[in-house]
Amino acid sequence: MNSLSLLRPAGLRLLALLTLPAVGGLAATPAAADFYICAALNKGYVTGSKITTISGLFKRGADGAWQHIGYNDMSITAAAFDPRDHNVIYTAALNGCWRSLDGGLTWRQTNDWTITEGRDVAVDPNAPDQVYLALPDGIAVSHDRAQTWTRRENGLPDRGKYTQTIKVDRSQAGHVLAGCETGIYLTEDGAAFWRHVLPTTDAVNDIEQSYHDPKIWIAVTQSAGAWRSNDGGATWTKLAGVPSDHTLYNVTFDPHHPQRIALGGWDAGVLTSEDGGKTWINRTAGLPTPHHVWRVGIDPDNGLLYASVVKQTLFTSSDFGRTWQRGPFENSTINDFISLPRAEK
Amino acid sequence: MKINISALLALLTASLLPATAQIPATGPMPVRLVVTDANVRREDYNRRVDEVVNWYAAQAKPGENLGVGQMLAKLVRHEDQAQVSTSVIALMKDPGTGPFWMFPVVGLSLLGQDQLSAAAKQAIRDMWRTTYQVRGDTENHWLMYYTSLYLISEQNPNEPGNTWYTGKSSAENLAEARSYLISWMDLTTTVGQGEFSPTGYIAEYSIPLMYLATWAKDPAMRQRGHMMLDWLYAELAQNTLNGVLHGPNSRTDERDVIERGNTAASYYCWLLFGNTVPPKDYAGFGIYFAVAAKNYHVPEVIYRIAVDRDRDYTQHDLKRTRRRWRYSDQLSPPVYRTDYTRKDYAVGSIQGGLIDPIQTHVWDVTWDVPDPRGVHNTMFSLQPYSADRSMQMYFSTYPEPMIPNLAVEGKPSYDLATKVIGSSPYERVFQDHDTIIALYDIAPGTRFPQVNGFFSKDLQHVTEDPSGWIFAQGGKTYLAYRPLAGYHWIKYLSRDGGWAKEVRDLGDKLLVSPQLKNGTILQAADESEFQSFDAFKAAINALPLEFKLEPTPTVTMTTLRGKKVTFTYGEAPVVNGVPVDYSKWKLFESPYLNAEKGSRKLTITHGRLERVLDFNTDSITDRVLP
Amino acid sequence: MKPFPYFLLGVALAAPAAVQAQPSFAAPPPPATVVQDAGLRREQYFSRIDEAINWRNSQVKRDNLATMDMTAIACKLVRHEDIEACSARVIELMKDPGTGPFWMFPVVCVAYTGRGLLSPEAQAAIRHAWRTTMQIRGDTENHWAMYYTSLYLMAELYPDEPAETWYTGKSSAENLAESRAYLISWMDLTTTVGQGEFNPTGYITEYAIPMVFLASWAKDPAMRQRGHMTLDWLFADLAENTLHGVLRGPNARTTDIPVMERWNDHASFYSWLLFGNTPPTAGYGGFGLYFAVAAKNYDVPEVIYRIAMDRDADYVQRDLKRSRRRWRFSDVLSSPVYKTSYMRRDYAVGSYQGGAADPIQTHVWDVTWAVPDPRGVHNDMFSNHPYSSPDQLQAWFPTYPELMIPNLPAEGKPSYDEPDKILGASPYEQVFQDLDTVVALYNIPPGIRYPQINGFFSKDLADFSVDKSGWIFARGGRAYLAYRPLAPYTLTPYRGYLQLPSNEGYKWERVATGDTLLQSPHLKNGTIVQAASQDEFKDFAAFKAAINALPLTFSLEPTPTVKLKTLRGRDVVVTYGQPPVVNGQPLDYTKWKLFEGPYLNAEKGSRKLTITHGRLERVLDFNTLSITDSILP
């Protein structure tokens, strides 16, 4: 992996992109959520060469256009927001964790050299000064909006604590799930202690909480398929019908339809369930081959299903995967979809 | 002392040519700034070295034989090798003798080893076989002699005794030379240099040590040469005021002692530190150093001691006198040196007594001037001692012929009552910061029973106060000079350097006090310390001061710095009730240079930079302090 | 012979043909004479520096400012030439800044060489870029050395400035403190357990450049001293590992070209510049020009120069290094690397114990022979297991298994997933070396991608013959070589990687190099190599006879094991997975020191390196930040 290069100085930038078709009448109703993506656009970039693309954090505007926010950062892996004020932004990236307090106009690299290659970042909605950072060598926690970081790895193994994803339970402060190299770890005390709740042989790539029942979580893995928890992550059951023969990169719930869930993965393509995960259908048809689906996401406002296909574009489906339309972001990998209840700021 | 004067003069003439376009000697003073970039410092230094070499090379006349300095310059530039070879052959037809002849020839041999013709090299080699070389009798003579013999023996190894003027084989010459050089370094690094802080003879140390550091095949001798250069220049750096060597000198001459910024030492300050201008003709011997100078770069820590000072400091050093053959119960008594250096002036002294029989300068105040050329920026007193017995003490000679001969050996003032150089067995000096008390108790019958005080033409506001103090200002320095006995004024007549026959009135005055029991008190201060010159005078007049001359001169006073001092001729000075104990004196002690007596180890410090020269392990350690 | 071509790093040339117009690159190889006179050594060093800078400046076309990139600007500034053009070009380039260490250090170089020269507008443009442009830190040891040295120097150049004036959102003081802390921690690690990216053929420049910048421009004398000491450390390691200027033996990181043409990478630029004992690589190593800009602030110490140039005896050097850090699938973050070198006048043998030191670019062992002119000569012999694995990449990179391997060719690593590659380490290779004998054993589990061993046989070998005994004999220069495959094999032409012009990542074409590849498709496998100098034998036949007479027994099942009396008379037993046994004594790697040999010695954990040649000794002590030069009795 090489260091990256930048096209232009950072700043707010508007991309003239397709305005996306709406589903039903949802787009006509006032948007209830903010919707962001972390996009990396690479057109043959290697170390020392020129980046000819804009990458980083994008916000979906009311008109469906994507607005670039902040630095052009091809290394961005995830983003999180302060629920009280969406101008407070945290991004996980190669340098560690960046923070903006002004909606992306200015940024601070919150960490020093002892933290690198942030994989995921999460804010506790019930204690918004608490920020959790997933790292290749463990987990760091901040109690002051990422001004300072402390390693919190009690209960994680000395080796095998590579952490790919971290998520905070919106229903309980300090209740956090971490997807690591060796499985899923749960803390119920703000990372003072981690409990190993699901062992795996390879990394857990994503863990998501249902919008409709905070006790329900689904996790996807590199080599062990998908798993479901009905008790807030304490215990896990393998999802039948989801194959384990391909890496699954992420999972997403539909904010409007409790029974709708989507998974994405390399060669696994797009898998959807419309019965709360009981049965799964491969909805890859219509996406370009090879079916290297990087991430899936669901628009909180209009229910569009998104699929990021490696080195292709962001594809959209207005019928939950039955048909697909080619969208923007040529040569992209979308690393994260973030939908948030709209904040006052 | 029988140095081959004709050879020396020949070399001087050969190397000193009409000074055409010698810019630095006539140009403006360099800007006083610290060059912080190491590479820029090196480039500046190399440029100055090139300037000297190029200037000498430019003096060559087509078709004429070259002077030795020109030959060396041409060899450094790798040009006109045929002309150089021809000139070498011509020079070797009438060889000189002694150290001053030997070291330039060594320079020719080593610089020319890949450039001179076989015939030229053979001519040099033959000279070393056929021409008897006198070794000389001073510390600098022996250093030049043995370094030359060492290097030339190393260059011509494994040759039998009959191929050397010494009658000894290459190996024997090498062993003898090495043994002396190491013993001299041992002596210098344990009890101090004999010819310390020389204004002119610094060249006679710098050149052989540079040759040793450059050309010795034995890495230990190369390293020792390098370390001794550091040692020499660390001392030069801490004893200079913006490139002007100040304070006492074991050996100097009539001009250097009054025009402090116009000496060979200034050439080395210019070359190494770039903080002053070189004397005319790069001090004559400058070329001999320059031809090898690029093999040495003054360490940053030494450079900064010379150019980057942020406080006043006192330095106590230990030195030694020239060796005494007779009439003394010690071969080489210790010399205790004190320097107090401030931004605008410096005060320096040794404890008095005989150091070198002829050329010592014992104490002075030297003030800073924007341009030292032609300025007599110093004040001091001395007893003009002249005695054939002191000649015998230091030289294996008969009493009668020596003094008359001195005039033609470069010491024209030795037997003059009005001289301003020379130490006396009847002088005792004490210094605390910028206060000097010099007491004299001259034995009856001593030739020239008087004390001379030097008053520069460049002093301002010279005032003889009713209190007995003489006040004056030199640069930004307020000066108060208190003669302890009656005096009168005469013109000081200058003899321009050691070899001058010309006597000139440059406007300086001599205070002559013809009393056997005598003394001088001198107090200096910076003009910024007082509202006005009058305020300074008032402060001096207000100082508690008692003195008497009979039966023994003694002074009790409170200095401007508030120290209560009692100093009696022949007794240890007492400061705030505590006698000064010279036996505790270290080899070096100051913020910059520190060494224990007998240690062979000098620690050079500036800020967080430290360099340790350790002759016990032949090691140089550069460290950055926390 | 022409060197294998590849494109210059970071140099925008007026025309590709200009690469040929480089005096020392095109000239005959320099004589191997030791320059005794320190002044002459320095003069020659300076003239080489000037040659590189002159060449770069000669490439600049005033009517084509595109030829004036940051290297050219730095080279012009150091000469105080074309200052107005430099200022204009800096302003132009700063309108479209890059990101990451490879953008940062050239800008730092220009910022410092341009002090007092560049126009206020140009200096302001540089300063502005450091406020507005996010800089990626990268993820390798060399990236961080460049990144933090650059940030350190810029923060020192612009002290006391508030957080909002830096892309990091941190004040000058915060940036300085963070950079200093990292640099010191990295030096601590390197001087206690060894460098991670050890002996890199190319990446040496990414260490040399930041360190010479630190040694030249850091205001803090301690950091200047650290920069200077680390340069000494780096170049002492280079000196002891080069054969007449050519870096040989194992490399933590190298590429497909220098692993076969050992001279052809940046390490040779540094040998040329510092020691003058080999030609420089094309374009003076590209980035090497940045080193040249500051190089006059550094003189290689005589003791290091002599280690490179002036050897009077064969020697064995054992060094301790460390692997790149592993994020996962490993019990240790960074495992120790035990390196052995045996250096002789005509050839050198080098190895480490096997296993992966870096996931992609490691070279584990070889015999390299001396040649009068190394340009275009493939002067080494070795074998390897062409290991390719998504798990391996995941161990070292925070990545998913699928995407990385397909991307590697475009990122400059074309051979990673090729079965005939000659680059890369394998977890299934174990190597033992005793003097000029190497025993490499392989025990590849079933199901591993590319279950084969590759052996490299250079086009420049002479008298190549396959003996009925099973030994393969050949001559390389004045070295006699015997290679013994322990399992059946085939010989096929080797195809190298020719880089093609591309604006979208690296592009490659496989081309025949004239070399031969031995491929042995067996899981249990091994290679024995024995080298000797032709001076030791009456003729080549006598060497062959001596090798054939060596007592040798081996078995591959159940575990590869070799019992051999070496040409040097040592009884050696090597079994895969067990410590090698020499003359009945098992080898104990736990006793390995950081450096141990006639030239370099350091205790593990000591932060102190003693460099010795004859009576010359230099001690670099990072505990006291001191350099001590001594002459031994």
Side-chain angles (χ1 to χ4, degrees), chain C residues 195-244:
Chain C
Q195 198 173 353
E197 293 183 342
F198 59 88
N199 307 123
T201 59
Y203 288 105
I204 185 174
T205 204
E206 279 88 336
Y207 292 94
I209 292 167
M211 290 305 105
V212 81
F213 287 1
L214 204 60
S216 300
W217 296 322
K219 286 193 182 73
D220 177 351
M223 294 306 279
R224 274 204 310 276
Q225 180 87 334
R226 282 181 172 274
H228 193 121
M229 291 166 68
T230 307
L231 282 176
D232 283 356
W233 192 291
L234 191 67
F235 294 142
D237 206 349
L238 176 69
E240 67 117 327
N241 280 296
T242 49
L243 186 65
H244 309 302

Side-chain angles (χ1 to χ4, degrees), chain B residues 37-40 42-43 46 214-215 218-220 222-223 294-297 300 304 608-609 617-625, chain C residues 37-40 42-43 46 115 216-217 220-222 224-225 296-299 302 306 615-616 624-631:
Chain B
D37 184 303
N39 191 42
V40 173
R42 187 207 301 263
E43 285 174 353
N46 287 345
T214 302
W215 289 311
D218 177 351
R222 273 204 311 274
Q223 177 92 332
K294 286 185 181 177
N295 291 298
Y296 176 80
H297 293 282
E300 181 178 0
R304 286 186 179 269
R608 293 168 59 200
L609 303 181
T617 55
D618 285 349
S619 68
I620 300 172
T621 298
D622 282 315
R623 185 160 73 107
V624 177
L625 303 172
Chain C
D37 182 283
L40 185 57
R42 185 183 296 108
E43 275 177 33
F46 278 23
R115 286 174 298 174
S216 300
W217 296 322
D220 177 351
R224 274 204 310 276
Q225 180 87 334
K296 288 184 179 177
N297 292 300
Y298 177 78
D299 291 331
E302 181 179 359
R306 288 187 179 272
R615 293 169 60 202
L616 304 181
T624 56
L625 285 191
S626 65
I627 301 173
T628 299
D629 286 316
S630 302
I631 307 300

Side-chain angles (χ1 to χ4, degrees), chain A residues 162 164 181 202-203 205 222 247, chain C residues 326-329 359 389-402 404 416:
Chain A
Y162 177 96
Q164 182 66 47
E181 162 190 352
D202 297 313
N205 287 335
Q222 182 170 315
T247 301
Chain C
R326 296 181 174 97
W327 291 128
R328 51 185 155 173
F329 308 147
S389 158
D391 289 352
Q392 172 85 341
L393 296 179
Q394 281 195 289
W396 314 77
F397 301 108
T399 182
Y400 300 97
E402 299 82 2
M404 195 156 175
Y416 180 74

Side-chain angles (χ1 to χ4, degrees), chain B residues 38-227:
Chain B
N39 191 42
V40 173
R41 276 201 305 276
R42 187 207 301 263
E43 285 174 353
D44 290 348
Y45 171 74
N46 287 345
R47 190 162 43 247
R48 293 189 290 267
V49 171
D50 290 340
E51 177 192 308
V52 179
V53 171
N54 296 343
W55 181 80
Y56 269 88
Q59 311 306 316
K61 303 277 188 304
E64 288 184 15
N65 282 334
L66 303 167
V68 178
Q70 296 168 301
M71 296 181 213
L72 290 167
K74 295 274 186 187
L75 288 172
V76 169
R77 292 160 53 95
H78 291 82
E79 64 188 20
D80 300 336
Q81 290 163 348
Q83 187 186 15
V84 174
S85 290
T86 308
S87 303
V88 164
I89 291 166
L91 184 67
M92 292 304 134
K93 285 182 178 158
D94 182 18
T97 187
F100 292 97
W101 161 259
M102 295 166 78
F103 77 75
V105 176
V106 167
L108 288 171
S109 293
L110 290 161
L111 274 171
Q113 52 196 338
D114 301 322
Q115 298 186 67
L116 292 176
S117 67
K121 287 196 237 183
Q122 191 56 51
I124 292 174
R125 183 65 189 88
D126 289 346
M127 182 279 297
W128 290 116
R129 177 173 56 81
T130 58
T131 311
Y132 153 79
Q133 295 299 320
V134 68
R135 187 166 58 183
D137 63 353
T138 68
E139 193 177 359
N140 71 81
H141 295 159
W142 281 40
L143 178 61
M144 293 185 286
Y145 176 93
Y146 275 122
T147 301
S148 302
L149 186 59
Y150 180 91
L151 292 171
I152 210 69
S153 302
E154 241 189 0
Q155 193 191 26
N156 300 279
N158 310 318
E159 298 193 6
N162 60 10
T163 67
W164 294 98
Y165 72 89
T166 57
K168 298 178 181 178
S169 69
S170 302
E172 287 176 297
N173 290 330
L174 193 74
E176 178 184 336
R178 181 176 181 280
S179 167
Y180 172 74
L181 291 170
I182 289 175
S183 77
W184 170 73
M185 292 175 193
D186 276 350
L187 198 62
T188 301
T189 57
T190 51
V191 297
Q193 199 172 351
E195 292 182 344
F196 58 88
S197 311
T199 57
Y201 288 104
I202 186 171
E204 283 83 335
Y205 289 86
S206 297
I207 295 165
L209 290 172
M210 174 60 79
Y211 287 9
L212 203 61
T214 302
W215 289 311
K217 287 191 173 69
D218 177 351
M221 295 305 278
R222 273 204 311 274
Q223 177 92 332
R224 281 176 165 268
H226 193 122
M227 289 164 69

Side-chain angles (χ1 to χ4, degrees), chain C residues 554-587:
Chain C
F554 68 89
S555 61
L556 296 175
E557 297 291 350
T559 306
T561 184
V562 167
K563 189 172 181 189
L564 165 76
K565 184 183 277 291
T566 72
L567 202 55
R568 310 303 167 193
R570 309 286 196 97
D571 289 312
V572 170
V573 179
V574 188
T575 302
Y576 189 95
Q578 294 178 27
V581 178
V582 181
N583 292 341
Q585 293 298 316
L587 188 62

